[in-house]
Amino acid sequence: MFPTRVLSLPNALNLRELGGYPAGERFIAWHKLLRSGTLGHLDRSAGVELAGYGVSTVVDLRTRGEQTTRPDQLPRTVRYRPMSVYPFADHYGRFTKAGRRLRRATRTGNAMTTTYVQMLMDTHARQVFADLFAILLATTGPRQAVLFHCTAGKDRTGVAAIMIEAALGVPAATQREDYLLTNLVLERPGEFAHADLTQGASAFVNQMNAHTAEVANFTAVQDFVTTNYGAWPAYLHQALGLSAQDLTDLRRLYLTDSPEPR
């Protein structure tokens, strides 16, 4: 079942394993971390198969409108956690401290890179990602997997994946590779997903989904963390509240000595 990184499940969109990625001298364990686009098109058998793979919790990063328009189709054995990243809570006006900080971080960027940096800065978005890490820390079973997703599995999911991979010690080059893999997966989305990606629950999400996963977005995220915090552990501690023990526990739970699937 699911022999490759891009998991083959009928009507799943951009469903991928993070297992096998290098993290220092160790590797992310298989059957522990999955990322995805919408799960709203799964039929009953696909949902059961996903649970059988080990998925015990699904974290839905979409807006309430997206969640209502296309609800995840999951068996009752899977815990569902709706945790919308949007809308942002902070005010980024011209004369606000947050606005000045955002403009400094995205001076040569565009609306896409600005949104990516906002996901790192915004009070509400940071709390959502902190809650995601709390779920990861609470998922202690050896074959209990957490799946996190948005609609395309690209922007909100992409930032979440970068954060998680950074917390586990995955090198930046591998984070970048995983982020850009979305472009290959979504090159020809199936007809079942086309409407979700082009006519979603809000104009803002539609606009985001119209773009590919761009190197500039990944670079903006890394540059923001390096410029303002020095490195990812400091960001995770200061912005999300993760302790050194939390990072140690995450690596104990999600890393293994072998890159091979179990």
Side-chain angles (χ1 to χ4, degrees), residues 13-79:
L13 179 70
N14 199 8
L15 174 61
R16 286 146 54 188
E17 255 277 7
L18 299 188
Y21 281 139
E25 296 182 354
R26 307 188 76 199
F27 304 88
I28 297 181
W30 293 76
H31 297 271
K32 289 295 294 179
L33 289 168
L34 288 79
R35 56 177 293 175
S36 182
T38 179
L39 301 176
H41 297 275
L42 301 184
D43 61 21
R44 184 180 181 279
S45 62
V48 170
E49 191 171 358
L50 193 64
Y53 188 77
V55 174
S56 61
T57 302
V58 167
V59 177
D60 189 345
L61 302 174
R62 298 177 299 168
T63 63
R64 289 185 180 180
E66 292 169 281
Q67 294 163 4
T68 301
T69 301
R70 185 69 66 186
D72 283 357
Q73 301 299 308
L74 301 167
R76 293 183 179 180
T77 55
V78 175
R79 184 185 185 195

Side-chain angles (χ1 to χ4, degrees), residues 148-170:
F148 54 98
H149 80 94
C150 53
T151 291
K154 174 173 63 73
D155 303 315
R156 291 160 287 186
T157 299
V159 169
I162 291 168
M163 288 183 178
I164 293 168
E165 290 162 4
L168 294 174
V170 173

Side-chain angles (χ1 to χ4, degrees), residues 10-244:
N11 290 347
L13 179 70
N14 199 8
L15 174 61
R16 286 146 54 188
E17 255 277 7
L18 299 188
Y21 281 139
E25 296 182 354
R26 307 188 76 199
F27 304 88
I28 297 181
W30 293 76
H31 297 271
K32 289 295 294 179
L33 289 168
L34 288 79
R35 56 177 293 175
S36 182
T38 179
L39 301 176
H41 297 275
L42 301 184
D43 61 21
R44 184 180 181 279
S45 62
V48 170
E49 191 171 358
L50 193 64
Y53 188 77
V55 174
S56 61
T57 302
V58 167
V59 177
D60 189 345
L61 302 174
R62 298 177 299 168
T63 63
R64 289 185 180 180
E66 292 169 281
Q67 294 163 4
T68 301
T69 301
R70 185 69 66 186
D72 283 357
Q73 301 299 308
L74 301 167
R76 293 183 179 180
T77 55
V78 175
R79 184 185 185 195
Y80 173 73
R81 293 293 302 274
M83 293 165 44
S84 174
V85 173
Y86 307 143
F88 295 131
D90 295 343
H91 179 59
Y92 297 94
R94 181 177 178 182
F95 299 107
T96 65
K97 182 178 180 181
R100 290 193 296 270
R101 190 183 186 199
L102 179 63
R103 286 190 295 278
R104 284 197 301 269
T106 59
R107 190 166 295 170
T108 60
N110 53 32
M112 286 289 291
T113 60
T114 297
T115 299
Y116 272 65
V117 173
Q118 281 181 278
M119 282 192 263
L120 301 178
M121 290 178 56
D122 185 78
T123 304
H124 168 73
R126 292 203 322 263
Q127 185 59 59
V128 168
F129 292 125
D131 291 343
L132 171 57
F133 275 104
I135 290 171
L136 297 179
L137 286 164
T139 306
T140 58
R143 283 184 66 91
Q144 286 184 321
V146 175
L147 184 155
F148 54 98
H149 80 94
C150 53
T151 291
K154 174 173 63 73
D155 303 315
R156 291 160 287 186
T157 299
V159 169
I162 291 168
M163 288 183 178
I164 293 168
E165 290 162 4
L168 294 174
V170 173
T174 304
Q175 297 173 32
R176 180 179 182 272
E177 176 185 317
D178 181 57
Y179 172 68
L180 295 176
L181 181 57
T182 286
N183 292 335
L184 297 178
V185 177
L186 294 185
E187 188 174 16
R188 293 183 179 85
E191 291 184 9
F192 75 90
H194 181 74
D196 288 4
L197 296 176
T198 59
Q199 302 172 27
S202 73
F204 177 72
V205 173
N206 293 345
Q207 183 181 20
M208 295 291 289
N209 287 340
H211 292 264
T212 60
E214 299 167 5
V215 173
N217 302 332
F218 178 82
T219 301
V221 166
Q222 300 292 344
D223 287 350
F224 176 82
V225 170
T226 301
T227 300
N228 292 278
Y229 297 90
W232 275 103
Y235 172 84
L236 295 168
H237 173 61
Q238 296 175 37
L240 302 189
L242 272 68
S243 67

